[in-house]
Amino acid sequence: MKTKNFLTLLMAGLLSLGLASCGSDNEGGSTLTGVDPITGNNPVGGGVTSCSAASNYQDFKNRVSNGQFIQERSSYETYFFIHQEPEIKNRDWWIFKSTTVRWNYIGDFTRTSTKDSDTVTHEAGSTKTAVRDYLMSILNSATNGRDRNMYDGIVGNDSYIEVLTSSGMIYGIDLCKPIGANPIFEMDSDSGERYYYTGTSSNSLYNNNGFQPL
């Protein structure tokens, strides 16, 4: 139990530092105001041109349901993720105790998304609609919502949240990333195994225009 609690607290601290700039590759920050109206028969395909903070958990869910994620910059994008597992060492010396964590690399993977289209490559399916439904299933099974900067179970006034689901998985969802990149973080609260987003390669369908870091 100590190990599980330690892992959860450790990840909370790392995320508050490491994901604080996770909106930078598409819109210059995660606190932009104003959301474009959703138009057309398929609200998921286009996205919005600026992301904004949700006022509460239900508002966040509504935005996910309506596909109000930032749209892609390029006609075709690739999103990169790293997969890791923790190696935890506990040390006792006299009255002193310490715990250290080393993150072991398991592998990496990618997702892709096409601008102004419902097309993605994603473990949830080949469409943004399928990804939206997958994200809603996460939000609907949440036992706890956690603001990026407040790990006290309160969600509010942010465009990125984490949820602990009934299965023990923690997911991070970011409205300031395209829907095809989400969830941008996942961690097993029991084992500590995790993956997280590291950057975007912006391409046309034929030409690579560079890599945008986290």
Side-chain angles (χ1 to χ4, degrees), residues 72-179:
E72 300 87 347
R73 274 184 171 182
S74 304
S75 59
Y76 184 80
E77 294 184 344
T78 302
Y79 312 110
F80 295 85
F81 295 81
I82 287 179
H83 189 187
Q84 297 175 319
E85 63 181 357
E87 180 182 335
I88 302 173
K89 293 184 178 180
N90 297 307
R91 293 184 175 88
D92 294 331
W93 180 75
W94 194 31
I95 62 173
F96 303 102
K97 295 183 179 181
S98 66
T99 302
T100 59
V101 177
R102 174 183 176 181
W103 291 100
N104 295 324
Y105 173 79
I106 297 177
D108 50 52
F109 67 93
T110 61
R111 300 172 179 148
T112 67
S113 182
T114 304
K115 189 175 183 180
D116 298 325
S117 167
D118 198 29
T119 303
V120 295
T121 56
H122 194 286
E123 62 272 22
S126 60
T127 66
K128 294 175 184 176
T129 304
V131 176
R132 187 272 309 275
D133 293 345
Y134 173 62
L135 297 175
M136 288 302 299
S137 71
I138 291 172
L139 295 172
N140 288 330
S141 65
T143 59
N144 188 18
R146 303 190 301 177
D147 179 273
R148 180 174 59 203
N149 299 313
M150 296 172 57
Y151 292 90
D152 55 4
I154 298 174
V155 174
N157 198 33
D158 210 342
S159 58
Y160 171 86
I161 67 167
E162 296 165 27
V163 294
L164 172 64
T165 66
S166 55
S167 66
M169 300 300 295
I170 298 172
Y171 297 91
I173 300 174
D174 193 349
L175 297 174
C176 293
K177 291 288 185 293
I179 190 170

